[in-house]
């Protein structure tokens, strides 16, 4: 697997799959180097991406990991999270954050990687959003 920053060439791939972001913001995230593209080196094809930002503008916050269906459960998610955490640590951060809905399996994935519950957000139309944090 290879992890690279997304480029303009990745825009269509991302917006076809990411239904959680306002489309014009994808170009901003690409230019700010806040999206990673995951590649299968053997096939030379994209297999997913990870997008992040900053909670309160100063705490790295992983917004979304997407792995295309045929590549799920192959270790891609773990590798990109560890890659991102390493980069955040190199940039001087000692804590990272993410969230997931209470009805999603992702909460167990993050806990296995050392994330701990830090609170929750309850919106009228969605399941409870669990906030998770990790010291790096």
């Amino acid at each position: 697997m290879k992890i690279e920053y997304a480029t303009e060439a990745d825009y269509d791939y991302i917006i076809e799959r990411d239904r959680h972001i306002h489309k014009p913001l994808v170009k901003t995230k690409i230019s700010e180097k806040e999206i990673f593209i995951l590649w299968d080196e053997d096939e030379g094809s994209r297999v997913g991406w990870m997008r992040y930002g900053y909670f309160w503008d100063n705490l790295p916050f992983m917004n979304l990991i997407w792995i295309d269906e045929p590549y799920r459960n192959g270790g891609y998610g773990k590798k990109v999270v560890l890659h991102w955490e390493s980069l955040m640590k190199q940039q001087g951060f000692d804590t990272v954050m993410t969230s997931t809905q209470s009805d999603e399996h992702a909460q167990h994935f993050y806990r296995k990687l050392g994330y701990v519950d830090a609170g929750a957000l309850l919106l009228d139309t969605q399941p409870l959003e669990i906030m998770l944090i990790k010291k790096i």
Side-chain angles (χ1 to χ4, degrees):
M1 179 179 102
K2 182 169 60 169
I3 302 170
E4 296 181 332
Y5 287 111
T7 68
E8 289 289 326
D10 301 307
Y11 177 80
D12 288 337
Y13 172 79
I14 295 166
I15 63 164
E16 287 171 5
R17 292 160 175 79
D18 194 342
R19 292 170 177 49
H20 302 283
I21 189 171
H22 186 59
K23 288 184 182 13
L25 290 177
V26 173
K27 289 188 179 184
T28 301
K29 296 295 244 177
I30 289 171
S31 69
E32 293 293 321
K33 298 194 178 307
E34 293 178 353
I35 301 178
F36 296 110
I37 297 293
L38 289 61
W39 292 86
D40 180 306
E41 291 183 285
D42 295 333
E43 296 178 13
S45 61
R46 296 175 191 93
V47 299
W49 81 90
M50 191 274 272
R51 170 170 55 79
Y52 73 97
Y54 297 90
F55 190 79
W56 293 327
D57 293 328
N58 65 10
L59 182 63
F61 186 94
M62 184 177 7
N63 292 310
L64 183 69
I65 298 173
W66 175 269
I67 308 296
D68 290 336
E69 189 69 39
Y71 302 96
R72 292 183 185 170
N73 298 312
Y76 290 99
K78 180 179 179 179
K79 288 178 185 174
V80 74
V81 170
L82 296 177
H83 175 79
W84 174 69
E85 289 174 357
S86 176
L87 287 174
M88 296 301 100
K89 188 169 187 144
Q90 288 172 23
Q91 293 177 23
F93 295 101
D94 63 359
T95 305
V96 291
M97 192 174 180
T98 193
S99 70
T100 185
Q101 290 181 338
S102 60
D103 64 345
E104 294 177 331
H105 185 72
Q107 63 181 295
H108 307 296
F109 167 75
Y110 294 122
R111 288 185 186 117
K112 283 180 187 176
L113 293 178
Y115 287 78
V116 295
D117 294 33
L121 174 65
L122 184 59
L123 300 173
D124 289 345
T125 60
Q126 297 180 10
L128 184 73
E129 186 78 14
I130 302 169
M131 309 301 285
L132 299 138
I133 198 164
K134 180 179 179 180
K135 293 287 185 188
I136 53 173

